[in-house]
Amino acid sequence: MEIYINDDLTLRTITLEDAEAVFACTDASRKHLKEWLPWLDYTKEVADTIAYIEGCIKGHEANNSLSLVILFKNEIVGIAGFNNIHPTNKIGTIGYWLNEGAQGHGIMTKTVKALLQYAFETLHLHKVEIRVAVGNEKSSAIPERLGFIKEGTLRAAEWLYDHYVDHVVYGMLLSEWQQQK
């Protein structure tokens, strides 16, 4: 599957052939990503990324997640997609990360906007959520910029290496997205 955003930006379903490029992208931004993402210590070699991608493929086949590589000027610069898709409740949870060198081009805002369109028009979801660690201002700016509603805070929602962080939950309903169009 591929989602064309513009001539420079495309999202594509992650494949095993992406393992080396995804690992290199991760490794190049390890220190930057580790500030807010808890899985960097478990991604030490390409084999770890292969295992991650195999899990992504299984989730996609089971229709309960969707992981996409972000291609900026034909280079993998991050991952975005739906960490969870709950078909019964018609709710999807978007997750994303971008390597440090690709920031500042509006890539993630455009990516999340494209994911919203896909969620509501193709997956026919009723609600999309994004959960962001309290204090992660760059990540919080994306749902805020796109008109998500700040719904609340989950206390001690994630273990981040040596401490728990709270998560702010942002949500957008289908009706709210339709009003923006």
Side-chain angles (χ1 to χ4, degrees):
M1 183 192 85
E2 190 170 284
I3 300 173
Y4 172 85
I5 298 173
N6 62 40
D7 287 345
D8 290 334
L9 188 58
T10 304
L11 307 176
R12 177 181 47 75
T13 307
I14 196 167
T15 67
L16 287 171
E17 290 77 24
D18 296 321
E20 287 190 24
V22 170
F23 178 76
C25 184
T26 302
D27 205 39
S29 290
R30 185 171 296 278
K31 183 178 178 186
H32 166 75
L33 294 172
K34 194 170 179 178
E35 183 178 4
W36 297 111
L37 298 175
W39 45 265
L40 275 295
D41 284 353
Y42 305 104
T43 307
K44 297 177 181 174
E45 55 189 76
V46 175
D48 300 323
T49 300
I50 290 171
Y52 162 74
I53 293 172
E54 289 172 342
C56 293
I57 292 168
K58 287 178 184 172
H60 182 62
E61 289 171 349
N63 294 316
N64 61 25
S65 66
L66 176 62
S67 296
L68 306 165
V69 290
I70 302 168
L71 296 163
F72 181 62
K73 298 182 179 179
N74 295 313
E75 181 182 332
I76 293 176
V77 295
I79 304 285
F82 297 92
N83 293 340
N84 296 295
I85 300 171
H86 301 281
T88 303
N89 295 322
K90 297 187 177 196
I91 297 173
T93 305
I94 290 177
Y96 48 79
W97 62 265
L98 192 63
N99 76 16
E100 190 171 14
Q103 293 187 355
H105 301 284
I107 292 170
M108 198 55 74
T109 299
K110 292 172 190 160
T111 293
V112 172
K113 188 173 183 180
L115 289 173
L116 284 172
Q117 182 175 358
Y118 185 78
F120 293 127
E121 293 183 6
T122 303
L123 297 178
H124 304 290
L125 297 182
H126 175 70
K127 181 179 182 182
V128 173
E129 294 180 347
I130 295 177
R131 297 177 181 203
V132 179
V134 170
N136 188 343
E137 294 174 15
K138 286 184 179 180
S139 190
S140 292
I142 294 161
E144 290 172 3
R145 190 177 299 124
L146 292 172
F148 279 72
I149 303 298
K150 186 176 180 180
E151 296 185 344
T153 303
L154 300 173
R155 298 177 304 141
E158 182 177 47
W159 179 252
L160 194 58
Y161 302 103
D162 61 357
H163 65 287
Y164 282 98
V165 292
D166 297 344
H167 278 185
V168 176
V169 179
Y170 294 92
M172 181 179 289
L173 301 176
L174 171 62
S175 58
E176 295 163 344
W177 181 76
Q178 289 171 330
Q179 289 173 359
Q180 291 183 11
K181 286 177 65 176

